[in-house]
Amino acid sequence: MILKDKKIALGVTGAISAYKSLELTRLLIKQEAVVWPVMTRSAKEFITPLSLSTLARNPVSTELFELAEGSRISHIDLAQSADLVLVAPATANIIGKVANGIADDLLSTVISATTAPVLLAPSMNCRMWENPIVAENVERLKRHGYFFVGPDEGDLACGYEGRGRLSSVSDIMDAAEYALSDKDLKGEKVLVSAGPTREAIDPVRYISNASSGRMGYALAKAARRRGAEVVLISGPSSLPRPSDITFVPVVSAEEMYDACIRYYPQSTLVIMAAAVADYRPKKTYPTKMKKEATSLTLEMERTADVLKYMGNKKKDQFLVGFALETENLEENAKKKLGEKNLDLVIANSPVGLDSTLNQVTIINKDNDIEVLPPLPKDEVADRILDNVVKLKRG
Ligand code: CTP
């Protein structure tokens, strides 16, 4: 809950995508952030202040002097009390103004007066985004520590197709969390595996397990938010691809092994959250198997244990494994910690397999044991990474 109680000055400028700021506001409020909406005059041509203020549960401010005279909050107060200034959508105009030190309305004044992080989510025609002056302005702002999310590629409201679409609301939420987080994993190259694997019986059938991928995806996103470079190697999952990380989709245990081994040498931290199949059918039929006998026996063979291989080859990497246990949780998890040469093992029961909650026990090499209560997987991810940071710092 990084956004909980955070004061967010939400700037909305005049672009067709301004309507998406309503959904963004709804999600920020859902995360218990405090939203102070600031609309430019042209934003009001696209959505009404009433909609935005109703969702934000705060009045919308637009005029510089109206605010200064009012008893509510001055533009300087707004700039100083905000934990984050988020502009979504951000037009070429506001980007140009901020990059050139122009403060001629409430939003541009708040941005120039704030010491809080500023996150801009551009939205404009693709030709405008490609305009070298706009590109220079963006580069200049990035150099000065302004955060950007997007724009995305796709169909644009103006009829063009290209880069200029406002990022998805969920990517903007992730970027807001990124802008607000301590970067205590900066410099780390993190490899996370997630999801199940599928072992083919024939072209239309496979053996798999109930993993949703949620725990691994939460870990990958949390590591990225905390400043790490992240590679996420994922078995089949219906979850949206997290932004700003290297995403490697795989299907079988063999593909998972190959991908993990490829990224292992350059990684400094590995978290194997994938539910890799331990066995695969010895034979994969090239065509669909027809039913014949009353029963069917499939001969299975062992897959390679990725984590064990990594444990054997370990140099400076910090290795985190999961131990899914239905009995003797701590004892079995400790055994895996030793056998796979891990630095940390996360023991869990199958209850969290296809759920948004997980209940885990974190055990390190010194046998320190932390039993967490059932928590949302995002929070579990941060608690695991807190342990990693603590141990890595010694
Ligand atoms: N793992 C792996 N490669 C495999 C199987 C498991 O890298 N072929 C990793 C998992 O990602 C997890 C850890 O090893 O981090 C433990 O997985 P788990 O399924 O709990 O245990 P196994 O090692 O398979 O042992 P067992 O089936 O006997 O419980």
Side-chain angles (χ1 to χ4, degrees), residues 361-380:
T361 299
I362 304 175
I363 308 172
N364 70 23
K365 271 201 300 201
D366 301 329
N367 256 331
D368 297 329
I369 297 178
E370 188 183 352
V371 183
L372 297 184
L375 292 169
K377 285 182 177 170
D378 290 343
E379 274 185 70
V380 175

Side-chain angles (χ1 to χ4, degrees), residues 119-252:
L119 168 64
L120 298 151
S123 173
M124 64 192 77
N125 168 271
C126 53
R127 298 276 178 271
M128 287 173 83
W129 178 252
E130 285 159 9
N131 179 313
I133 296 172
V134 174
E136 264 176 50
N137 287 338
V138 170
E139 278 318 305
R140 180 162 200 212
L141 289 172
K142 283 186 179 167
R143 270 203 315 280
H144 285 282
Y146 287 73
F147 294 96
F148 278 82
V149 52
D152 287 352
E153 292 227 4
D155 291 333
L156 304 175
C158 51
Y160 282 72
E161 206 190 314
R163 190 141 187 239
R165 275 172 75 94
L166 183 70
S167 282
S168 69
V169 173
S170 79
D171 283 355
I172 297 174
M173 294 289 286
D174 288 348
E177 290 190 346
Y178 177 78
L180 282 164
S181 293
D182 281 347
K183 305 292 178 286
D184 55 1
L185 286 174
K186 198 170 164 47
E188 298 287 344
K189 290 180 189 297
V190 180
L191 166 55
V192 180
S193 72
T197 63
R198 284 181 187 168
E199 310 308 319
I201 299 170
D202 70 15
V204 293
R205 300 184 183 95
Y206 53 80
I207 292 170
S208 189
N209 59 63
S211 168
S212 64
R214 279 197 199 97
M215 194 61 245
Y217 279 55
L219 280 159
K221 283 168 77 164
R224 175 67 203 119
R225 177 170 40 70
R226 293 166 74 146
E229 254 180 67
V230 180
V231 176
L232 172 62
I233 301 175
S234 174
S237 166
S238 58
L239 298 173
R241 220 177 243 220
S243 56
D244 210 16
I245 60 169
T246 305
F247 184 79
V248 185
V250 295
V251 177
S252 64

Side-chain angles (χ1 to χ4, degrees), residues 193 253 256-257 260 271-279 302-310 320-325 332 336 339-340 342 345-346 348:
S193 72
M256 176 68 78
Y257 179 88
C260 288
I271 309 177
M272 281 296 292
V276 189
D278 289 326
Y279 292 91
R302 283 287 301 273
T303 58
D305 189 319
V306 189
L307 197 50
K308 195 160 189 181
Y309 173 89
M310 288 172 166
V320 183
F322 274 74
L324 181 75
E325 308 295 345
N332 284 337
K336 281 178 193 167
E339 280 174 6
K340 301 195 185 194
L342 307 180
V345 69
I346 317 300
N348 64 340

Side-chain angles (χ1 to χ4, degrees), residues 32 71-72 168 212 262 267 338 362:
E32 297 179 42
S71 55
R72 291 199 310 262
S168 69
S212 64
R262 189 162 76 244
S267 302
I362 304 175

Side-chain angles (χ1 to χ4, degrees), residues 327-366:
E327 55 194 350
N328 306 328
L329 188 88
E330 277 181 25
E331 195 190 317
N332 284 337
K334 279 183 193 165
K335 210 165 138 221
K336 281 178 193 167
L337 182 94
E339 280 174 6
K340 301 195 185 194
N341 193 18
L342 307 180
D343 297 282
L344 203 62
V345 69
I346 317 300
N348 64 340
S349 69
V351 180
L353 254 187
D354 196 21
S355 159
T356 52
L357 294 183
N358 201 2
Q359 196 276 308
V360 303
T361 299
I362 304 175
I363 308 172
N364 70 23
K365 271 201 300 201
D366 301 329

